[in-house]
Each structure stands twice: as C-alpha cells, then as structure tokens.
Amino acid sequence: MAMSFSSGAKSEICRVFPQKHCCALAECFGILLYCNSFRTDGIKIITENADFAALLPKLFRKAFGFQFDQLPEVEAGGKMIFGITDPSKISAVMAAYGFDFDDTLALHVNFPVVENGCCRNAFLRGAFLAGGSVTDPAKGYHIEIATTHQSVARETFALMQEVLTFNPKTAQRSGGMVLYIKQSEQISDFLTLLGAPLAAMGIMEARLEKELNNKVNRRCNCDDANISKVVEAAQEQLAAIRILKERGQIDNLPPKLKQAAEARENHPAASLTELAAMMDPPITKPAMNHRLKKLEEMSKEAES
C-alpha cells in the first residue's frame, strides 16, 4: 500500500534525531502530551508509522536512559503499541517534566523544558508525530495537531505563536481541541520547521500546479468565449448578406462593401484580421469591422 502524504511527512521528520539531551527530552515531552495515554498508571503510545516506531526506543533511551516495558511484536504491522508500566520509570518521566507522581496529574506544557529555540522545535516535532496529520495537498491544504487536553492545546498555541510568524487556528472537536493551519505557505513553513522540507516542497509544488491549471482554465474559458463571440458575429454578418441578396441589393453595393460581403460569405469562419488581409488592397481590422457593420445596418434598413 502506498504511503499517505501525512505518513511520508512524519517519516521525513523522524530522520531528524536530536543531538542534545535537552532536545531529546523536549521531543519526548511533545510525544507524551499528545500520545494515547500519559498517566501515573501507565504510558501508552500507539502508531502505524514504521519510522516513528523505529525512532521511539532510541529517543526515549537518549532522554531517560531506559527502554519501554512493552514493545510491538516483530513484523506485527498495523498498529504498534509502546508502553511503560514500571512505576519507577513513570515517576522518572514525571519528575523530568516537573510533575508530581503522587498528585493528580493535570497535563500542561512545562515551559522551562522548552526554553531554548532548538527545544521548542523538538517539542513541536514530537507533538506532530504523536498527535498531528497533514492533508495531501492534491486534495486540500490542512495541517493539524489534536489533543483532548485543553490546557496543553492552549499552551502549545502560545508556543507556536513564539516560534512561527503567524498564528494557527483553533477548533473544538469531540471534547478536545485542534490547532490547525490552512494556508499553503504557512503549512510549508511549519513542515520545514519540523524537519520535513521535502513534504514542504510538495505543498508548494501542488499549489503552483493548481495555480497553473487555474490560469490555463481561465485562458481556455476566455478563448472559448472569444470564439463564441466571433462565431456569433459571423452568423449575424452572413444573415445580413443573405437579406441584402434576397432584396436584390447586393449587386448595387459600393465595391468595397461588395468585396467585404463576398469575403465573409466565402470564408464564414475567418477572423476579422484574416478577412482584412483578403481585401484588395489589404485593410486594417477596424476598417474591416466597419464595412461588415455597415452591411448589417443596410440589411436592417432593407427589412424595415
């Protein structure tokens, strides 16, 4: 099965491995705040992305120095579950982020953990890997990070305000909150910040392709409209010539008008420019238009 655009973007982000311990902690913090379960009775992270699954053990080992208690089965495919159930490990994770294991856990972004710029970026990488998605740009422009924790969403919003030059939008969904962006340029900038420049380039390429297609369509529509006008005008001119013939006036026309009538009758699909070139001597397009308009006026007079 082909990888989705969102999964491809996440796989690209997973190639960025934090070199500093503080950034590893920050990225794990983003993952934990947006994962399936981060509580004192257990931590559970579920993913279907193989690259994210390969990153998680290395990332947590760098941040905390220990391994998950539950790992996915080898070649399990589908949903892969990572879990931490050892109270001592959970307590260490809580302490690293300023949470008290013995108190009721109210999740929030502990800003000292993301004080440095590199750590803010790492936190947002983790949040997107665990709770984010991006729409295939061929279908639309939309990137989001979702959580059921209102305070986490509000504080992540504040963090994104500091990091980005624009504000994400917010929306309520199924009791949770979604932070999202719908402008193609902003989505591209955000993906680049997260470490997915190829996905960001895909967004901009899709936008340019759509703009080009729209431009071509507008041009085609304009050309079709112009062709319709030319055909309609030619039909009116031919009708006028027919009336003048029926009234026996065609042979009494001045030579220039008679020449114009014969050219239009012999070349019903020709443009004004083409007809003008057929005159002897050749004339301008406005002059040709004037002659044909004169024929139409004379036909109306002949009918009245």
Side-chain angles (χ1 to χ4, degrees):
M1 182 182 293
M3 182 181 293
S4 68
F5 185 84
S6 186
S7 184
K10 288 187 177 184
S11 293
E12 187 179 359
I13 292 169
C14 288
R15 297 174 197 156
V16 182
F17 189 79
Q19 299 302 309
K20 296 189 291 186
H21 180 257
C22 62
C23 292
L25 272 175
E27 188 162 340
C28 286
F29 197 23
I31 292 170
L32 290 166
L33 290 179
Y34 283 86
C35 73
N36 302 82
S37 179
F38 178 29
R39 306 189 317 183
T40 55
D41 59 352
I43 294 171
K44 182 183 290 185
I45 304 169
I46 303 175
T47 182
E48 294 184 2
N49 187 290
D51 292 297
F52 185 32
L55 172 69
L56 279 170
K58 295 184 290 184
L59 192 59
F60 272 69
R61 190 162 50 246
K62 184 176 182 67
F64 305 109
F66 57 69
Q67 186 56 277
F68 286 96
D69 298 320
Q70 178 185 357
L71 292 169
E73 295 181 9
V74 178
E75 298 181 357
K79 292 183 178 180
M80 292 167 278
I81 302 174
F82 294 81
I84 299 176
T85 54
D86 184 332
S88 64
K89 292 181 180 179
I90 296 173
S91 181
V93 172
M94 298 295 184
Y97 299 122
F99 298 132
D100 190 338
F101 184 86
D102 296 323
D103 290 339
T104 302
L105 180 60
L107 293 181
H108 63 89
V109 177
N110 189 354
F111 283 102
V113 177
V114 292
E115 184 175 359
N116 299 324
C118 56
C119 295
R120 293 191 189 99
N121 294 352
F123 173 87
L124 292 174
R125 276 200 306 272
F128 180 75
L129 288 172
S133 65
V134 57
T135 301
D136 187 329
K139 300 177 181 178
Y141 304 123
H142 183 90
I143 190 170
E144 68 175 45
I145 302 175
T147 177
T148 56
H149 304 288
Q150 301 283 341
S151 58
V152 170
R154 286 193 295 269
E155 290 160 350
T156 302
F157 178 89
L159 190 64
M160 292 175 72
Q161 280 184 310
E162 293 183 16
V163 172
L164 304 170
T165 57
F166 52 85
N167 295 335
K169 304 294 184 181
T170 62
Q172 299 288 331
R173 182 193 297 165
S174 302
M177 184 177 285
V178 179
L179 305 177
Y180 68 92
I181 304 168
K182 297 190 79 69
Q183 297 294 322
S184 58
E185 301 95 330
Q186 296 176 356
I187 295 172
S188 181
D189 290 345
F190 188 44
L191 285 171
T192 301
L193 176 79
L194 296 179
L198 294 180
M201 189 180 299
I203 297 285
M204 298 315 296
E205 287 176 350
R207 178 194 168 195
L208 291 173
E209 184 176 353
K210 287 180 182 178
E211 289 179 349
L212 179 60
N213 288 338
N214 289 337
K215 186 176 182 180
V216 170
N217 288 336
R218 285 194 298 270
R219 179 63 183 270
C220 289
N221 291 337
C222 182
D223 289 345
D224 288 344
N226 289 336
I227 291 172
S228 296
K229 289 179 181 178
V230 169
V231 171
E232 184 178 342
Q235 293 300 320
E236 292 176 356
Q237 293 155 11
L238 289 169
I241 293 168
R242 199 161 44 246
I243 292 170
L244 292 173
K245 276 191 170 184
E246 291 171 355
R247 298 293 191 274
Q249 298 183 18
I250 199 75
D251 292 330
N252 299 325
L253 292 174
K256 292 181 179 180
L257 292 182
K258 188 175 181 180
Q259 186 184 29
E262 290 175 350
R264 170 50 82 198
E265 197 169 26
N266 293 331
H267 304 278
S271 66
L272 285 176
T273 301
E274 292 168 336
L275 290 175
M278 297 176 192
M279 299 296 99
D280 186 18
I283 59 176
T284 64
K285 177 181 175 181
M288 188 69 209
N289 184 55
H290 175 74
R291 291 185 185 184
L292 293 172
K293 289 293 184 185
K294 184 64 177 177
L295 290 172
E296 290 182 46
E297 292 173 6
M298 292 178 70
S299 71
K300 290 178 182 177
E301 292 174 0
E303 281 191 308
S304 59

